[in-house]
């Protein structure tokens, strides 16, 4: 069987090559990869009309340039939210969908705990860039998790654009109309990797909701991982095995003409 064609979308902090280099290197010749940065960082500042559709358009542009008609899509955090939007709006293009703790999962009848968490995210809007990033990361993990102290060395140049990009993503999460019925109709394999130390009021509840929507849904819990030491960086061998399994199923379904 030929190499699997896969698009990897990162979160809103690390650039895609830094986020996925270890995993893609491990996958080797089994994968023909597009490791794609988010469109929110394509220019000097987020586009004024930015939405998750901007990210979907970017995925279609890059795959179109390669001549790919069908592909596997992997998205982490903000990239996971973009991957969900792609599954809803362009389902025929996807062979499989792999979600690595998507930051947002659409508009549902969320629990009070989930709603309170998003109110806490809203309250970060007035913070300075430095304070914003510290509070933003703290909210996404369990209270007992000890996050690393900020480094004393100057941050990389790309880091200065992250608060604006994260805020743009959070704004579109409030208004974007993710088509739930389209997700219910999506019949390709869906894989979800969940960190056991991530904030369950966010990522655990998103996994639970999506697990009740997608027809073919596999949840894998990485008990020692959280959102900022995710499996694609800390347990790439285990994740690679899981991804290969779901990609094989997707490729076989496509070969059998199960559309």
């Amino acid at each position: 069987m030929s190499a699997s064609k896969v698009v990897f979308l990162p979160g809103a902090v690390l650039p895609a090559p830094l986020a996925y280099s270890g995993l893609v290197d491990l996958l080797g010749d089994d994968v023909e990869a597009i490791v794609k940065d988010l469109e929110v960082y394509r220019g000097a500042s987020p586009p004024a009309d930015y939405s998750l559709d901007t990210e979907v358009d970017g995925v279609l542009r890059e795959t179109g340039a390669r001549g790919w008609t069908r592909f596997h899509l992997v998205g982490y955090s903000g990239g996971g939210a973009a991957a969900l939007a792609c599954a809803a709006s362009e389902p025929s293009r996807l062979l499989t969908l792999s979600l690595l703790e998507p930051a947002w999962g659409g508009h549902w009848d969320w629990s009070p705990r989930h709603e309170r968490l998003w109110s806490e995210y809203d309250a970060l809007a007035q913070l300075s860039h430095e304070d914003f990033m510290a509070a933003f990361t703290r909210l996404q993990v369990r209270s007992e998790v000890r996050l690393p102290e900020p480094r004393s060395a100057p941050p990389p140049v790309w880091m200065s654009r992250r608060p604006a990009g994260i805020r743009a993503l959070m704004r579109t999460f409030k208004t974007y109309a993710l088509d739930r019925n389209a997700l219910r109709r999506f019949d390709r394999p869906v894989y979800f990797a969940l960190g056991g130390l991530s904030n369950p009021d966010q990522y655990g509840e998103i996994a639970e909701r999506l697990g009740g929507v997608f027809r073919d849904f596999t949840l894998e819990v990485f008990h020692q991982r959280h959102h900022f030491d995710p499996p694609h960086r800390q347990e790439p061998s285990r994740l690679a095995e899981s991804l290969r399994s779901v990609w094989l199923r997707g490729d076989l379904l496509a070969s059998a003409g199960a559309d």
Side-chain angles (χ1 to χ4, degrees), residues 2-239:
S2 60
S4 296
K5 295 177 170 59
V6 187
V7 179
F8 294 89
L9 300 178
V13 180
L14 280 184
L18 292 179
Y20 286 116
S21 60
L23 177 62
V24 172
D25 288 348
L26 186 65
L27 291 165
D29 294 338
D30 290 349
V31 167
E32 185 179 351
I34 295 176
V35 180
K36 183 189 175 303
D37 280 316
L38 295 181
E39 294 291 306
V40 74
Y41 300 122
R42 187 171 175 81
S45 60
D49 59 349
Y50 176 78
S51 81
L52 291 179
D53 287 337
T54 312
E55 300 295 346
V56 174
D57 291 344
V59 169
L60 297 180
R61 183 189 67 243
E62 295 293 327
T63 54
R66 298 274 190 103
W68 294 4
T69 56
R70 305 285 297 279
F71 53 91
H72 305 278
L73 183 57
V74 179
Y76 161 70
S77 194
L84 277 170
C86 198
S89 63
E90 299 290 336
S92 65
R93 302 294 300 277
L94 302 191
L95 294 165
T96 64
L97 174 65
S98 295
L99 302 168
L100 314 178
E101 292 198 340
W104 176 82
H107 298 288
W108 306 86
D109 182 18
W110 294 106
S111 72
R113 295 185 306 277
H114 190 91
E115 296 287 3
R116 278 197 301 273
L117 178 64
W118 281 95
S119 295
E120 293 181 69
Y121 279 124
D122 289 342
L124 305 183
Q126 305 305 316
L127 297 179
S128 68
H129 282 4
E130 181 177 307
D131 291 341
F132 174 87
M133 291 301 297
F136 174 75
T137 54
R138 182 71 260 171
L139 284 176
Q140 295 181 69
V141 298
R142 288 184 179 271
S143 58
E144 65 268 25
V145 172
R146 292 186 61 184
L147 293 169
E149 295 294 326
R151 297 179 180 179
S152 57
V157 173
W158 51 260
M159 191 67 186
S160 65
R161 298 168 57 195
R162 266 43 192 175
I166 292 168
R167 287 183 167 109
L169 278 162
M170 292 173 72
R171 285 194 297 272
T172 195
F173 294 165
K174 282 178 164 295
T175 60
Y176 190 81
L178 184 67
D179 189 340
R180 285 184 285 178
N181 289 327
L183 297 183
R184 290 189 178 98
R185 293 190 298 269
F186 187 80
D187 62 355
R188 303 290 92 182
V190 178
Y191 169 82
F192 193 116
L194 176 65
L197 298 177
S198 296
N199 190 333
D201 295 339
Q202 182 171 359
Y203 300 108
E205 188 161 344
I206 290 172
E208 182 179 356
R209 296 290 179 144
L210 294 179
V213 170
F214 286 114
R215 302 183 191 182
D216 183 347
F217 183 85
T218 300
L219 174 67
E220 183 173 12
V221 179
F222 292 74
H223 291 283
Q224 301 305 313
R225 302 275 69 84
H226 62 69
H227 199 66
F228 297 104
D229 69 345
H232 55 280
R233 298 209 309 272
Q234 302 299 334
E235 296 187 51
S237 295
R238 176 181 168 188
L239 181 63

